[in-house]
Amino acid sequence: MQRRHLIAIAAIACSAIAGFSAQAQAADIKKIRIGVEGAYPPFSEVGKDGKVMGFEIDLANAYCAEMKLACEMVQVDFDGLIPALQARKIDAIIASLSITPDRQKAIAFSNAYYNTPARFAGKADAKLDFTPAGLKGKKIGVQRGTIHETYASAIFKQSEIVRYATQDQAFLDLKSGRIDLTLADLVAIDQGFLAKPDGKGFALIGPSYDDPKYFGTGSGVGMRKADEKVLGKKFNDAIATIAANGTFKKLNDKYFPYDLAPKK
């Protein structure tokens, strides 16, 4: 954040704190702004009409209906979501944001609402040893700001890690041969790439990755810590209700041939 005048920043901060945080401490929250990515199909993407759509958008709308809140979907690049939350440009994040120890230092989370492992995608006939030494010199594409970037950077130090603003950009470079592999969420690879014409000749390869140290315990709704007591309870209650009444399963089955419900 650029700082021009200390007094001006202090005034803005006080105003912001008096805004949503004060509202979040009350039981009568009426409207919230939800940060979504819009570039991570089938979880969220921009439709032909210019509106965001997808599994998480449907879930977000279901949660808002259950909480009886008016919700505005705000499209933000993935690596800008937490900064936007901290700058009070949005009030919550629903964007496949994994609950990890590092992120919990900065923001609060609801309970997990879905969970899937990470996988590599590459040429279907690739014969690779998925160890740090085995992938030495290989170009691995990851989306910036994700758990996949964190893991690839920490584990595959002998590989060249290529970072992208969106996962779709990594898929394009994988298809064109500019990278050897991409590490991403299983569903994003399967539904967002392999199920499409561009994915012909490619496959999920290597093991599944789910080390909680890097990949967390599932995806949750992100929010400011100051808003956790009231807003967090509202989301947790909605997540539990949507799971219990069959709405989650209905939406899950609309998009996926497998169950994304987090393990209990």
Side-chain angles (χ1 to χ4, degrees):
M1 179 187 294
Q2 293 181 347
R3 292 175 173 79
R4 297 180 179 179
H5 301 288
L6 187 59
I7 295 177
I9 291 298
I12 292 171
C14 290
S15 175
I17 292 170
F20 184 75
S21 280
Q23 183 187 35
Q25 298 307 315
D28 60 346
I29 301 171
K30 300 298 182 184
K31 181 178 180 179
I32 59 172
R33 299 158 299 172
I34 298 179
V36 298
E37 182 180 3
Y40 200 59
F43 293 96
S44 70
E45 59 187 304
V46 178
K48 293 180 180 179
D49 60 359
K51 296 180 180 179
V52 286
M53 55 182 283
F55 174 62
E56 285 189 293
I57 306 306
D58 288 353
L59 267 184
N61 285 322
Y63 295 148
C64 291
E66 179 63 31
M67 295 186 293
K68 296 179 172 57
L69 293 180
C71 292
E72 177 189 357
M73 303 297 167
V74 181
Q75 191 178 351
V76 181
D77 288 346
F78 186 83
D79 57 359
L81 283 164
I82 290 178
L85 180 70
Q86 294 171 326
R88 300 184 178 275
K89 295 178 180 179
I90 55 176
D91 306 308
I93 299 170
I94 296 183
S96 296
L97 194 66
S98 296
I99 305 166
T100 66
D102 279 348
R103 287 175 178 158
Q104 286 177 308
K105 294 174 184 177
I107 65 173
F109 282 92
S110 70
N111 295 333
Y113 58 85
Y114 92 82
N115 193 20
T116 54
R119 293 290 302 273
F120 276 112
K123 285 286 189 180
D125 58 358
K127 306 297 182 184
L128 297 170
D129 172 17
F130 288 88
T131 63
L135 295 185
K136 180 179 179 180
K138 298 296 183 183
K139 293 183 178 180
I140 301 173
V142 293
Q143 184 179 7
R144 284 197 303 268
T146 64
I147 52 178
H148 310 104
E149 178 191 16
T150 301
Y151 186 78
S153 299
I155 303 302
F156 298 102
K157 294 180 182 295
Q158 300 176 70
S159 303
E160 181 181 345
I161 308 303
V162 185
R163 296 164 176 83
Y164 298 89
T166 70
Q167 184 58 45
D168 277 348
Q169 292 173 353
F171 290 146
L172 287 172
D173 272 9
L174 181 63
K175 179 191 174 186
S176 68
R178 285 189 283 269
I179 58 176
D180 302 295
L181 301 160
T182 183
L183 181 66
D185 180 86
L186 160 69
V187 178
I189 293 172
D190 188 29
Q191 300 289 307
F193 181 58
L194 299 181
K196 298 180 178 181
D198 282 353
K200 184 177 181 180
F202 295 89
L204 291 162
I205 56 177
S208 294
Y209 299 95
D210 59 3
D211 183 346
K213 176 182 176 182
Y214 295 98
F215 297 100
T217 55
S219 293
V221 181
M223 67 199 79
R224 290 181 290 273
K225 291 188 176 184
D227 302 330
E228 181 179 14
K229 184 176 181 181
V230 173
L231 190 59
K233 184 179 186 307
K234 285 181 177 292
F235 269 112
N236 283 338
D237 289 346
I239 290 168
T241 298
I242 292 305
N245 67 15
T247 301
F248 181 91
K249 185 179 187 308
K250 181 179 178 181
L251 294 176
N252 184 111
D253 295 350
K254 173 183 174 182
Y255 289 94
F256 312 112
Y258 27 70
D259 185 10
L260 270 61
K263 297 177 182 178
K264 295 182 180 180

